[in-house]
Amino acid sequence: MFRRAFWFTTGAAAGVWATTKVQRKIRSLAPDALALRAADKAVEGGHRLREFALDVRAGMVQRESELKDALGLSAPGEAERFRELPAAQPAPAPRRQGKRLPRQQGKRQLGGVLPQPPAGRDPHAPPLTPEPPDHQDRPATPNHPNDRNEDH
């Protein structure tokens, strides 16, 4: 009687263990679990890549200091010998008063009005070159095979 009870209990325990193992495997192969595992691996790979980049930078700084010491470039008081020059201020860009028309007829623009020089500009200076026309300024070509007048 004890022998049958022992084998019954052993079989039941093995069945429960096998069922649990199979259920875990099925859950781990579900699409959500696979996506979560892939995302975790990607994040882990990103962390490893970041650590590698930091190690490379630290090695570069160390090697650069070794090379400077070997070449005698990093002497004490180097900051006093080589002062930085102040940064130059960029020149202000000229202001434009509006979009110029692409074509001119002699001294007159389309519309019959003489062009006025921008404020602060010498009126006797040569005229500014007109901006190149935008592709939107061109008329549509309805016979072109790719022009279907669709909004994209």
Side-chain angles (χ1 to χ4, degrees):
M1 171 88 174
F2 287 111
R3 186 178 263 184
R4 286 185 183 176
F6 171 76
W7 286 113
F8 177 76
T9 306
T10 304
V16 169
W17 177 79
T19 304
T20 305
K21 199 78 158 155
V22 168
Q23 289 297 325
R24 284 184 187 164
K25 191 64 169 177
I26 288 173
R27 272 188 258 132
S28 72
L29 294 176
D32 293 341
L34 290 174
L36 185 62
R37 193 178 324 149
D40 288 342
K41 292 288 183 182
V43 168
E44 182 181 329
H47 288 304
R48 286 183 181 172
L49 187 61
R50 183 169 182 255
E51 289 176 9
F52 174 73
L54 291 174
D55 289 343
V56 167
R57 286 186 186 139
M60 287 171 45
V61 168
Q62 180 183 359
R63 183 64 179 152
E64 184 178 355
S65 66
E66 290 173 1
L67 290 173
K68 282 184 177 182
D69 289 341
L71 296 174
L73 296 177
S74 61
E78 180 178 349
E80 296 169 3
R81 285 191 325 183
F82 302 107
R83 289 187 308 168
E84 288 189 28
L85 295 175
Q89 296 294 328
R95 294 177 139 198
R96 295 209 171 175
Q97 293 296 326
K99 189 171 182 180
R100 297 179 61 95
L101 296 175
R103 289 188 232 156
Q104 293 182 358
Q105 296 175 351
K107 289 244 178 202
R108 295 180 175 259
Q109 291 186 348
L110 296 176
V113 180
L114 285 174
Q116 297 296 323
R121 182 166 159 77
D122 183 18
H124 301 292
L128 296 173
T129 58
E131 295 178 359
D134 283 345
H135 67 280
Q136 296 173 348
D137 291 341
R138 289 182 288 181
T141 54
N143 295 334
H144 194 274
N146 292 333
D147 187 13
R148 298 185 185 145
N149 198 16
E150 296 175 348
D151 292 329
H152 291 101

